[in-house]
Amino acid sequence: MTSIVFMGTPDFSAPILRMLHDEGYTIKAVVTQPDRPVGRKRVLTPPPVKATALELGLPIIQPEKLRGSEELQQILALQPDLVITAAFGQILPKELLDAPALGCINVHASLLPKYRGGAPIHQAVMDGEKETGVTIMYMAEKLDAGDIISQKAIPIEEDDHTGGLFDKLSMVGCELLKETLPSIINGTNNRTVQDEAQVTFASNISREQERIDWTNDAITLYNQVRGLHPWPVAYTTFEDGNFKIWWATIGKSKHETNPGTVVAIDKDHFEVAAGNGKTLALYDVQPAGKKRMTAEEYLRGTGSKLQIGDQFK
């Protein structure tokens, strides 16, 4: 049976690892990021792929940085037939890319050559794309630039958000990899060079991308909110503090006022003026220094003094 080293870190990757195990592939090691502090109490927490590997009884390697490390030599010494990565979070050095007889392949959550980089799902939603998908590809030294082996597309629904699409695309990746692996192993797979003229990028989300610009139109703001849900979460400024917007929709009100102005207040939401005469209706929020809450809870408590004409910035 083909021997594999699997490399992945977040929830997206864990079902793919489980599928490989259930299909009977020989997994020589699971390589994942180190445990990180999580939450306000900074509890040291293993990444989801490590938790799955522990459950399955698989050997685990956790390099802080792969290039030039002892862990890299440990992986090379395993002499796997194939390396499979899925949202691992580090660039693979050429020494590793060249080592396996069957190469290194990646399960990437976009329809390459669109959205190369670390945040393809976030960016596709924020850009208002109507579809996304998964690409199985050979890895190259250049980021996400290797030859395409197989792809599968799915629609992005109007109420989809990044968290939901992560789950959907993880399942798509599982099935597509399961279908594609036999052809990779026996050498009958397709191999298509990416069209460099069609390349777009999706770098890791910056703090600036999280900030709401109320001069943007309501659709752009809605796509931003759902593209950043449930992490890292869009935010604005109100009363000199950061005000997180966990969920919102396009509002029903129309206005002729300055963007960022509160124009309507209802029982379970309030509407803020966007830049095209329409509004964003806020339903799930987090005022500065407070926990996440529904807009209804906010309006009954901390936000009880909110008035039409108040300004978000």
Side-chain angles (χ1 to χ4, degrees), residues 286-305:
Q286 186 173 356
K290 304 292 183 180
K291 66 179 181 64
R292 176 183 176 181
M293 64 188 73
T294 65
E296 184 173 357
E297 291 169 331
Y298 171 69
L299 292 169
R300 288 203 311 262
T302 306
S304 59
K305 296 181 180 180

Side-chain angles (χ1 to χ4, degrees), residues 223-244:
N223 289 339
Q224 182 180 5
V225 168
R226 67 193 186 111
L228 297 171
H229 178 86
W231 73 92
V233 186
Y235 78 97
T236 183
T237 302
F238 184 60
E239 295 180 336
D240 298 323
N242 288 342
F243 188 99
K244 292 185 178 181

Side-chain angles (χ1 to χ4, degrees), residues 275-294:
N276 62 337
K278 296 185 179 180
T279 64
L280 193 68
L282 280 57
Y283 283 88
D284 190 347
V285 300
Q286 186 173 356
K290 304 292 183 180
K291 66 179 181 64
R292 176 183 176 181
M293 64 188 73
T294 65

Side-chain angles (χ1 to χ4, degrees), residues 2-6 20 25-29 80-84 181:
T2 302
S3 65
I4 291 170
V5 165
F6 179 80
L20 293 169
Y25 290 102
T26 301
I27 302 172
K28 288 194 168 184
D81 299 313
L82 181 67
V83 169
I84 299 175
L181 267 177

Side-chain angles (χ1 to χ4, degrees), residues 1-222:
M1 178 60 73
T2 302
S3 65
I4 291 170
V5 165
F6 179 80
M7 308 176 75
T9 299
D11 286 316
F12 173 85
S13 316
I16 299 171
L17 171 60
R18 188 178 298 277
M19 179 277 293
L20 293 169
H21 177 269
D22 292 348
E23 289 296 302
Y25 290 102
T26 301
I27 302 172
K28 288 194 168 184
V30 174
V31 185
T32 189
Q33 298 278 5
D35 297 5
R36 304 291 188 197
V38 173
R40 289 187 176 181
K41 295 185 177 180
R42 311 301 289 166
V43 177
L44 197 63
T45 304
V49 163
K50 180 180 179 180
T52 300
L54 288 169
E55 179 188 338
L56 299 175
L58 298 172
I60 299 165
I61 300 172
Q62 292 181 273
E64 187 67 50
K65 184 178 180 182
L66 193 56
R67 190 178 301 275
S69 68
E70 291 182 8
E71 290 90 348
L72 174 59
Q73 297 307 313
Q74 187 179 348
I75 296 164
L76 292 170
L78 294 172
Q79 297 184 318
D81 299 313
L82 181 67
V83 169
I84 299 175
T85 72
F88 171 52
Q90 295 187 37
I91 300 294
L92 270 58
K94 188 176 189 302
E95 189 178 4
L96 180 54
L97 291 174
D98 292 343
L102 296 175
C104 298
I105 65 171
N106 182 37
V107 183
H108 185 74
S110 84
L111 298 173
L112 292 171
K114 293 187 73 171
Y115 298 120
R116 293 179 181 176
I121 302 175
H122 292 82
Q123 199 64 56
V125 179
M126 291 171 70
D127 287 351
E129 294 282 357
K130 301 302 181 184
E131 71 170 7
T132 184
V134 172
T135 300
I136 309 294
M137 55 170 288
Y138 282 107
M139 300 184 74
E141 285 188 86
K142 191 176 176 181
L143 179 65
D144 297 329
D147 293 350
I148 295 168
I149 303 168
S150 59
Q151 290 185 317
K152 185 171 183 179
I154 63 168
I156 300 178
E157 307 293 347
E158 286 188 10
D159 59 350
D160 272 333
H161 55 72
T162 288
L165 279 174
F166 259 83
D167 294 340
K168 289 181 183 181
L169 290 173
S170 179
M171 294 302 103
V172 171
C174 277
E175 289 305 311
L176 186 60
L177 183 61
K178 183 177 176 180
E179 295 168 6
T180 305
L181 267 177
S183 68
I184 294 172
I185 292 166
N186 64 33
T188 61
N189 59 285
N190 295 321
R191 188 165 186 150
T192 305
V193 176
Q194 293 189 41
D195 181 355
E196 291 293 325
Q198 301 300 316
V199 170
T200 61
F201 290 94
S203 300
N204 291 334
I205 298 298
S206 68
R207 185 63 171 164
E208 186 59 32
Q209 287 176 288
E210 298 168 26
R211 187 181 183 91
I212 292 286
D213 178 352
W214 292 104
T215 64
N216 286 329
D217 63 74
I219 293 175
T220 298
L221 296 182
Y222 172 59

